[in-house]
């Protein structure tokens, strides 16, 4: 997918957290990674995938261009399954805020109603 936008394949299937940073040493990038590490189960439960647009690769440029993000600053953007930006931040987004935003979405509410509770009978 050289030069393509990796977000195109997620529409309708996944929510995406785009983490954009000028380079791998960016403090915001490191903080966002650290915040998400312990909550991988919560990400999976919400069909949330993380896409990093770091540096100047063709993929990173395509993601930034598609979302109108600056190349020289940290940004975090939550994208819904419909492809729309639901939350944009100039600092790392705490997992609790991510999860609360997603859990308030109508599509997520439908998903929670349809899925059986863990350990529960059907």
């Amino acid at each position: 997918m050289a030069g393509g936008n990796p977000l195109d394949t997620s529409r309708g299937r996944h929510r995406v957290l785009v983490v954009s940073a000028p380079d791998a040493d960016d403090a915001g990038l490191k903080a966002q990674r650290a915040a998400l590490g312990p909550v991988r189960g919560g990400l999976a439960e919400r069909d949330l995938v993380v896409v990093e647009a770091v540096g100047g690769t063709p993929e990173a440029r395509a993601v930034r261009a598609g979302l109108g993000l600056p190349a020289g600053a940290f940004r975090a953007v939550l994208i819904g399954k419909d492809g729309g930006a639901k939350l944009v931040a100039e600092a790392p987004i705490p997992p609790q805020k991510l999860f609360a935003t997603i859990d308030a979405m109508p599509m997520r509410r439908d998903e929670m109603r349809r899925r059986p509770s863990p350990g529960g009978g059907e």
Side-chain angles (χ1 to χ4, degrees), residues 2 19 22 73 81 113:
V19 180
K81 287 185 176 182
R113 278 193 296 269

Side-chain angles (χ1 to χ4, degrees), residues 6-32:
L7 299 180
D8 293 341
T9 60
S10 291
R11 189 175 302 227
R13 298 181 334 142
H14 303 286
R15 294 172 185 93
V16 180
L17 177 65
V18 174
V19 180
S20 175
D23 57 58
D25 292 326
D26 183 82
L29 173 65
K30 290 179 178 181
Q32 187 71 75

